[in-house]
Amino acid sequence: MEKILEIKNVEKGFGSQKVLKGISFEVLKGQVISIIGPSGSGKSTLLRSINMLEKIDHGNIYYHGNNIYELPDINKYRLKVGMVFQNFNLFNNMSVLDNCLLGMTKVLKIDKEKAKETALKRLDDVGMQSFKDRAPQTLSGGQKQRVAIARALCMEPEVLLFDEPTSALDPEMVGEVLGIMKKLAKEKMTMIVVTHEMGFAKDASDEVIFMDDGVILEKGGPQKIFNEPEKERTKLFLKRYLSN
Amino acid sequence: MNLDLIKAWEILITNFPIFLNGIVNTVLYALVGTIVGLLIGLVFGVIKASAISPFDSKGVKILKKVSQFLIGLYIWFFRGTPMMVQALFLYYGLSPIIGWDGPMAGLFVISINTGAYMVEIIRSGLSSIDKGQNEACMALGLSRFQSLIYVILPQAIKNSFPSLGNQLIVNIKDSSMLSVVWVVDLFFQTGAIANTNYRYVETYFVSALFYLALTTIATFFLNAMEKKLDIKDGSKDYCA
Ligand SMILES: Nc1ncnc2c1ncn2[C@@H]1O[C@H](COP(=O)(O)OP(=O)(O)OP(=O)(O)O)[C@@H](O)[C@H]1O
Ligand SMILES: [Mg+2]
């Protein structure tokens, strides 16, 4: 299958603290990869490095075989790698619809009417079309995250990165967001999902990565990671999670 | 105090054209100073607030540091000295080179002086915006400039609108200092009238009333504008 991203020996530190200590994995087209692991293990830093929100110290990241640090225009790369944040980060000065339109009209330079059509379709996909004129501040957390997903999808990204998309949500809203992500997974959207939702990681992903202290401790299909993990650390982590 | 209200009314009526001429100039200087100052504040404020990113090339890093230092010097001088001193210093200092007259120098000084305050207001407005807003822009592939124009600055301006607007009020009053370089504003004209009728109390009383009227009207407009920003921002409460 087509290789979209290749992460090779990535290292990253903040000051003297090493946060990523040689991370390598590949992302194939249509694959859903879940990244799990304890707090502070470097999951967010890894996602942010892939999207060039952080600059890596060592190693390489390849996008279709090209080193992303040697691309002529990093904005062209970024728009192909969408990101959904824990805190939604909807643009506070715009309506729901305008949030979706901004990237399409200003970056992709799509004509406004056409962009509007696409935006309404994407909002409909996440059940938010009737909220198109609302201000982000007036939405619930779950609704905000659904809009954020629609906004990312409007750019027709090749890969979507999710950084704990449900962690800031009230429990009763987690389901609506996970439901949309599961639907995307079924539609063969390529996704890397950092999550504490073990149910999602188990049911929806093709591959699960367990990160601990800046390294990938264990990686494999969900069956393997959840039912027969090799490493003690993984077992301990899962036991703590699944007993909660 | 010996204030004769009837005399004051007489002074107002007989000198009205002169007062009006002063008012027009005061308004003109306050508006130009505030608008040009805001433009200076926007450009320099954005530069001052832009953090050094690890993705910047070496040249950009040096450019940022040097320009931030120079902007710091600019703010330091113009906020740390009286506008009257700035006006006289720059008028006399630059007139051999530029050959300008006092009123022109005054317009320049009030703009650049206001700019120094606006830079700080815009900078702190920018720093109040959540980092996530910018990251969401980057993730969509927007350029740094596009993020600023469409997402970051509108929010920063809205957040700091009260402080920005306050500069207009300050300028209505402080433009009076520019009379030292022969700006014929309300304060200058008041002095001219008082020096001919010797009724200082009544003349300056009338002047104070005019200033009060101007600042009140300005406050009213600023409040209306702020309301309008709120509505455009969509933060109306839909949940009712
Ligand atoms: N900008 C930063 N500056 C300094 N240290 C940072 C920065 N970002 C992250 N760190 C540190 O890097 C380490 C890894 O952080 P990261 O956010 O990647 O962990 P995480 O696995 O996403 O954790 P969580 O599950 O809590 O989100 C932490 O110790 C954190 O304090
Ligand atoms: Mg994290």
Side-chain angles (χ1 to χ4, degrees):
Chain A
M1 224 184 301
E2 196 184 340
K3 199 189 292 176
I4 296 180
L5 285 170
E6 185 174 3
I7 287 87
K8 245 186 163 165
N9 263 318
V10 164
E11 294 178 28
K12 163 81 189 163
F14 293 106
S16 59
Q17 182 197 9
K18 289 214 110 186
V19 174
L20 301 178
K21 307 171 180 171
I23 300 276
S24 303
F25 67 100
E26 292 176 354
V27 185
L28 304 179
K29 196 173 167 65
Q31 217 179 14
V32 177
I33 299 177
S34 290
I35 302 178
I36 59 172
S39 185
S41 54
K43 306 181 298 294
S44 296
T45 306
L46 174 59
L47 272 198
R48 293 167 58 81
S49 300
I50 293 174
N51 203 21
M52 298 183 91
L53 292 175
E54 303 286 356
K55 190 177 183 186
I56 60 176
D57 302 332
H58 292 289
N60 290 302
I61 298 173
Y62 298 96
Y63 170 67
H64 290 294
N66 301 309
N67 187 334
I68 59 172
Y69 282 85
E70 288 162 8
L71 294 174
D73 184 355
I74 68 169
N75 288 328
K76 283 226 174 76
Y77 164 73
R78 279 192 177 129
L79 75 92
K80 284 289 163 198
V81 183
M83 181 114 171
V84 175
F85 301 87
Q86 183 173 349
N87 298 318
F88 331 118
N89 293 340
L90 292 180
F91 304 133
N92 294 322
N93 59 324
M94 295 178 196
S95 69
V96 163
L97 180 62
D98 287 338
N99 262 273
C100 294
L101 289 177
L102 186 67
M104 280 193 288
T105 54
K106 303 303 175 197
V107 180
L108 300 176
K109 314 266 189 223
I110 296 173
D111 148 273
K112 179 127 190 208
E113 283 310 308
K114 244 182 118 193
K116 210 165 159 179
E117 232 173 82
T118 310
L120 290 175
K121 229 181 282 163
R122 294 290 89 86
L123 284 170
D124 195 35
D125 291 342
V126 299
M128 290 298 292
Q129 206 198 71
S130 58
F131 295 82
K132 67 180 169 61
D133 295 320
R134 291 270 289 258
Q137 298 89 322
T138 67
L139 302 178
S140 74
Q143 291 172 331
K144 282 183 194 170
Q145 197 59 298
R146 287 191 277 154
V147 172
I149 293 173
R151 177 177 70 178
L153 289 174
C154 280
M155 304 300 284
E156 302 195 348
E158 272 190 85
V159 192
L160 256 189
L161 313 179
F162 292 83
D163 190 3
E164 300 196 31
T166 58
S167 294
L169 301 180
D170 291 334
E172 68 268 25
M173 290 169 189
V174 169
E176 62 190 64
V177 171
L178 287 181
I180 286 162
M181 292 168 61
K182 281 179 185 161
K183 200 172 93 189
L184 286 172
K186 270 214 194 83
E187 292 164 1
K188 289 290 158 204
M189 178 78 215
T190 313
M191 303 198 278
I192 308 176
V193 184
V194 170
T195 187
H196 290 297
E197 293 293 331
M198 295 305 147
F200 177 88
K202 202 168 172 179
D203 300 338
S205 46
D206 304 302
E207 187 167 79
V208 179
I209 289 175
F210 176 69
M211 266 183 80
D212 188 31
D213 196 21
V215 296
I216 293 180
L217 209 61
E218 199 161 352
K219 176 168 80 167
Q223 287 308 317
K224 180 191 165 240
I225 298 293
F226 286 99
N227 298 338
E228 47 218 41
E230 284 166 16
K231 298 277 183 353
E232 270 317 301
R233 283 286 300 155
T234 319
K235 280 180 204 166
L236 206 70
F237 173 81
L238 289 173
K239 206 167 118 194
R240 213 173 287 151
Y241 251 95
L242 299 177
S243 64
N244 277 347
Chain B
M1 191 169 61
N2 208 343
L3 172 64
D4 181 344
L5 285 177
I6 295 173
K7 189 75 205 165
W9 176 249
E10 252 178 57
I11 290 171
L12 193 159
I13 295 297
T14 50
N15 298 289
F16 190 72
I18 304 175
F19 277 121
L20 191 65
N21 172 266
I23 288 170
V24 167
N25 278 325
T26 292
V27 171
L28 180 78
Y29 275 71
L31 282 178
V32 171
T34 308
I35 291 167
V36 177
L38 177 61
L39 295 177
I40 294 173
L42 284 171
V43 174
F44 287 2
V46 164
I47 297 173
K48 191 132 194 287
S50 73
I52 307 264
S53 146
F55 288 99
D56 290 339
S57 67
K58 187 134 198 190
V60 171
K61 276 182 196 167
I62 293 171
L63 202 68
K64 273 188 186 174
K65 282 216 170 118
V66 170
S67 53
Q68 284 173 356
F69 175 75
L70 291 177
I71 293 168
L73 274 185
Y74 158 60
I75 295 173
W76 178 64
F77 177 78
F78 280 94
R79 293 210 311 184
T81 55
M83 189 157 74
M84 247 187 238
V85 174
Q86 294 162 17
L88 289 167
F89 170 64
L90 288 173
Y91 166 61
Y92 285 114
L94 294 183
S95 79
I97 308 163
I98 306 176
W100 55 8
D101 57 11
M104 211 46 226
L107 207 54
F108 176 77
V109 166
I110 195 171
S111 302
I112 197 164
N113 176 283
T114 309
Y117 289 89
M118 294 288 203
V119 174
E120 275 303 305
I121 295 170
I122 294 289
R123 189 203 55 75
S124 80
L126 285 168
S127 69
S128 73
I129 307 298
D130 181 49
K131 253 179 44 208
Q133 295 285 307
N134 192 39
E135 291 184 348
C137 289
M138 302 207 303
L140 288 178
L142 289 155
S143 68
R144 176 91 191 108
F145 184 71
Q146 287 175 321
S147 319
L148 271 169
I149 295 296
Y150 298 117
V151 176
I152 311 297
L153 272 177
Q155 294 184 51
I157 290 172
K158 186 182 164 259
N159 286 356
S160 44
F161 190 81
S163 310
L164 293 172
N166 189 47
Q167 287 299 309
L168 178 64
I169 309 290
V170 168
N171 279 342
I172 289 173
K173 296 180 292 176
D174 285 6
S175 52
S176 58
M177 296 190 212
L178 298 175
S179 58
V180 294
V181 286
W182 306 282
V183 169
V184 186
D185 71 332
L186 177 55
F187 178 74
F188 186 98
Q189 294 294 43
T190 308
I193 295 165
N195 284 337
T196 53
N197 65 16
Y198 304 110
R199 300 297 296 233
Y200 293 100
V201 176
E202 285 80 9
T203 310
Y204 281 101
F205 175 70
V206 171
S207 183
L209 289 184
F210 277 128
Y211 273 113
L212 212 49
L214 289 179
T215 51
T216 306
I217 292 168
T219 307
F220 177 81
F221 272 110
L222 290 170
N223 286 341
M225 267 173 85
E226 196 177 350
K227 265 218 187 91
K228 209 157 184 182
L229 278 181
D230 270 344
I231 293 166
K232 228 177 104 196
D233 182 47
S235 50
K236 262 184 296 184
D237 193 3
Y238 289 85
C239 301

